[in-house]
Amino acid sequence: MSFLQITSQLWEGMATSMLLFCLTLLGAIPLALPLAFGEMSRFRPISLLCQGYISIMRGTPLMLQLLVVYFAPWYVFHIPLTGYRFTAVVIAFVLNYAAYFAEIYRAGIESIPKTQYEAAEVLGYSKGQTFFGIILPQTVKRILPPMTNEIITLVKDTSLAFAIGVMEMFTMAKQIAAAQKSMVPFAAAALFYYVFNLIVARLSALAEKKLSYYR
Amino acid sequence: MNVLTINNLKKNFEGRPILKGVSLSIREGETVAILGPSGSGKSTLIRCAGLLERMDEGSMICLDKKVAWMENGQCVYAGPKELKQVRSNMGFVFQSFNLFPHFSALKNVTDAQIHVKKRTAKEAEERARALLKKMDLSHRADAYPYQLSGGEQQRLSIARALAMDPKVLFFDEPTSALDPLLTGSVLQVIRTLAEEGMTMAVVTHEINFARSVADRIVFILNGVVEEEGPASILDNPSSPALKEFLSGITK
Ligand SMILES: Nc1ncnc2c1ncn2[C@@H]1O[C@H](COP(=O)(O)OP(=O)(O)OP(=O)(O)O)[C@@H](O)[C@H]1O
Ligand SMILES: [Mg+2]
């Protein structure tokens, strides 16, 4: 089997990996915002709940969370789910990454000086206008570097889906490598992750450049 | 007519009394200079006046509207709707400018007009350009705050406040963060506003400026008004404390 043949066989896995990547971001990036708010809430029960959630999601392995999400419906609730594999992976990834993102958002939001809120307050901006017009845009610029780090980790983490047998890139590579007794599929997989992350880093640098018009 | 009347304002921070019964009134068209040594409570006073800080005790009336009053020994503030209305009559200029760094100079002046005052983009821009011109910033309309000098930033923040058509403007040490060479342009702008009849309260350490611009001087020491009167009290202080303060500054 040539390198090209292997890559084309891996293609399906790559598509799955990329889909998982995109769905995770699509879910976790917005979900992290209410989580970050909850964490900063002055209402103790809410802030404790969110802090506890974030602490657990960050303190336990993603692979374990994946297994819990996948097996819990059947083991705990006796709900038989078929064709649930991929959905389970997406849910686990979104829940996990939302916790990491929320922590980044919180630090970013808290790094904006109090004086920005005061300036907005004396001008008569509402709380919502202040947050979405004044605070959030400045936060986005500040959280870009740590978010890029997390997103690069996410690219590599998509390979964890193999744990419950989702046919993503890495699972495919392992199968082909075993069948062919060849290292080439692994090399192709490595190349895939590397190029993917190169693109992520490039996009992030572009975004950073785009936001460099102010300090 | 009084634009602002504060009576018997008391404020503690962490149980420590900072303002111990301060009264301040500002008449329409008047410029009041608030002087006093560091830590005397000037910022706390002006921040209470500008609704950035809540009084523990005292009453406050702004343009015939009750803002805060005493009820059963407690200071009660008007509801959010009323406060919003009161706030729309006030402008505040900070020592550290507090411009919005992600907005151009022009947008710093137009944004609140559009989103708070609900002016059209065109109206807001016309008003902003006129104010930038007045602040000698026309050529800097597209610059971002970090590209401006300290003096330009402070003039921009004054333009931003004026764009909301406040009936009274508060300044907390508007020139203290500036290089001595840059204070002149900002003080000149405030002087012009005073001549135009803007109602203002200015916390400042610039004695000469206070002497030549202020209609009235309020000297604060340890959380009380130690002496109050026309600008001439700076030349003939009656209290030993003001005398000492002035000699300390001129030295
Ligand atoms: N938010 C706060 N929490 C606790 N203490 C405060 C707070 N704000 C002010 N203080 C204290 O209140 C006192 C008066 O402060 P204030 O800022 O009003 O003084 P000031 O007259 O403006 O002084 P300066 O000329 O240095 O600006 C100071 O001792 C200060 O430490
Ligand atoms: Mg002060």
Side-chain angles (χ1 to χ4, degrees):
Chain A
M1 246 173 137
S2 73
F3 186 78
L4 259 180
Q5 279 172 314
I6 290 172
T7 340
S8 70
Q9 277 198 15
L10 284 175
W11 175 245
E12 205 180 315
M14 286 182 203
T16 308
S17 297
M18 278 194 271
L19 188 64
L20 173 57
F21 172 83
C22 293
L23 290 176
T24 303
L25 289 186
L26 227 55
I29 286 178
L31 180 63
L33 197 58
L35 253 181
F37 279 141
E39 213 190 346
M40 292 183 288
S41 167
R42 257 167 297 179
F43 185 57
R44 282 294 278 172
I46 294 273
S47 75
L48 283 177
L49 194 74
C50 291
Q51 280 166 22
Y53 173 81
I54 291 167
S55 165
I56 289 171
M57 293 317 268
R58 301 206 315 161
T60 57
L62 174 54
M63 197 189 299
L64 183 71
Q65 294 163 15
L66 189 53
L67 296 176
V68 168
V69 171
Y70 182 55
F71 289 115
W74 176 239
Y75 287 5
V76 182
F77 304 105
H78 298 283
I79 308 166
L81 288 174
T82 48
Y84 172 59
R85 271 173 217 272
F86 187 69
T87 315
V89 180
V90 173
I91 292 173
F93 271 62
V94 167
L95 292 179
N96 177 275
Y97 271 85
Y100 281 93
F101 291 170
E103 210 35 37
I104 294 175
Y105 292 2
R106 183 193 56 74
I109 291 168
E110 285 178 352
S111 76
I112 307 295
K114 228 182 72 205
T115 50
Q116 287 287 303
Y117 292 89
E118 289 188 344
E121 193 181 349
V122 294
L123 288 166
Y125 285 100
S126 70
K127 287 232 157 70
Q129 286 173 333
T130 304
F131 184 75
F132 288 103
I134 311 290
I135 305 301
L136 195 60
Q138 296 184 57
T139 306
V140 168
K141 181 182 168 105
R142 290 184 191 209
I143 66 174
L144 209 55
M147 283 297 279
T148 304
N149 279 340
E150 274 322 313
I151 292 171
I152 284 174
T153 307
L154 170 61
V155 170
K156 294 179 281 183
D157 272 356
T158 56
S159 64
L160 287 177
F162 88 93
I164 59 170
V166 166
M167 284 297 168
E168 49 68 56
M169 167 78 194
F170 189 66
T171 321
M172 301 279 280
K174 253 180 41 180
Q175 279 182 5
I176 303 171
Q180 306 275 323
K181 308 240 173 338
S182 154
M183 285 301 284
V184 176
F186 289 141
L191 189 67
F192 165 78
Y193 290 117
Y194 184 73
V195 170
F196 200 155
N197 272 330
L198 225 49
I199 294 168
V200 169
R202 188 85 205 95
L203 286 176
S204 159
L206 264 172
E208 232 168 288
K209 189 145 175 251
K210 206 158 169 8
L211 287 175
S212 68
Y213 66 88
Y214 74 90
R215 269 177 219 159
Chain B
M1 192 184 86
N2 275 354
V3 173
L4 186 83
T5 312
I6 293 177
N7 262 314
N8 200 28
L9 155 55
K10 291 182 185 162
K11 175 80 185 170
N12 294 339
F13 277 124
E14 292 145 7
R16 206 157 53 91
I18 303 300
L19 295 177
K20 305 167 187 166
V22 172
S23 297
L24 174 75
S25 59
I26 308 169
R27 282 186 286 276
E28 195 176 350
E30 187 182 42
T31 299
V32 176
I34 300 168
L35 307 180
S38 183
S40 54
K42 306 179 298 294
S43 293
T44 309
L45 171 61
I46 200 114
R47 286 169 60 82
C48 283
L51 298 177
L52 282 170
E53 210 80 70
R54 293 232 162 181
M55 315 187 286
D56 293 336
E57 276 181 48
S59 66
M60 180 166 163
I61 294 171
C62 181
L63 292 162
D64 293 330
K65 279 222 162 56
K66 280 171 83 173
V67 180
W69 57 91
M70 291 303 285
E71 222 172 85
N72 307 324
Q74 287 258 321
C75 183
V76 184
Y77 273 80
K81 269 222 180 77
E82 284 92 346
L83 287 187
K84 197 175 155 149
Q85 162 70 26
V86 169
R87 189 167 269 133
S88 73
N89 291 318
M90 299 175 162
F92 204 101
V93 175
F94 300 88
Q95 180 174 345
S96 52
F97 330 130
N98 302 353
L99 292 163
F100 301 129
H102 58 310
F103 290 167
S104 68
L106 183 67
K107 188 152 189 220
N108 262 284
V109 186
T110 56
D111 196 72
Q113 292 188 67
I114 294 167
H115 291 109
V116 178
K117 279 254 191 274
K118 309 291 178 201
R119 290 183 183 146
T120 65
K122 192 163 163 281
E123 282 173 325
E125 179 167 344
E126 268 170 27
R127 179 99 175 91
R129 294 222 182 258
L131 282 166
L132 289 178
K133 180 151 186 256
K134 183 170 179 180
M135 297 296 140
D136 196 15
L137 287 170
S138 288
H139 58 298
R140 307 298 273 146
D142 297 322
Y144 282 84
Y146 82 94
Q147 296 167 317
L148 302 175
S149 75
E152 288 173 329
Q153 290 188 50
Q154 193 58 297
R155 270 148 42 215
L156 177 58
S157 92
I158 295 172
R160 179 177 71 171
L162 288 174
M164 305 302 282
D165 299 323
K167 301 267 171 25
V168 54
L169 203 45
F170 302 110
F171 295 79
D172 189 4
E173 302 199 28
T175 58
S176 293
L178 301 179
D179 200 294
L181 286 171
L182 298 176
T183 60
S185 69
V186 172
L187 294 178
Q188 187 49 48
V189 160
I190 301 173
R191 192 185 305 268
T192 306
L193 289 174
E195 282 161 8
E196 291 170 1
M198 185 75 207
T199 310
M200 296 184 284
V202 188
V203 172
T204 183
H205 287 293
E206 304 276 346
I207 300 298
N208 290 329
F209 166 77
R211 182 184 284 113
S212 62
V213 174
D215 300 297
R216 208 148 45 84
I217 306 289
V218 173
F219 173 64
I220 306 231
L221 184 70
N222 295 328
V224 295
V225 176
E226 187 73 19
E227 190 170 343
E228 185 174 358
S232 58
I233 64 167
L234 293 177
D235 300 314
N236 291 303
S238 51
S239 69
L242 180 54
K243 216 172 270 175
E244 192 188 329
F245 173 72
L246 292 169
S247 68
I249 284 208
T250 45
K251 244 184 268 162

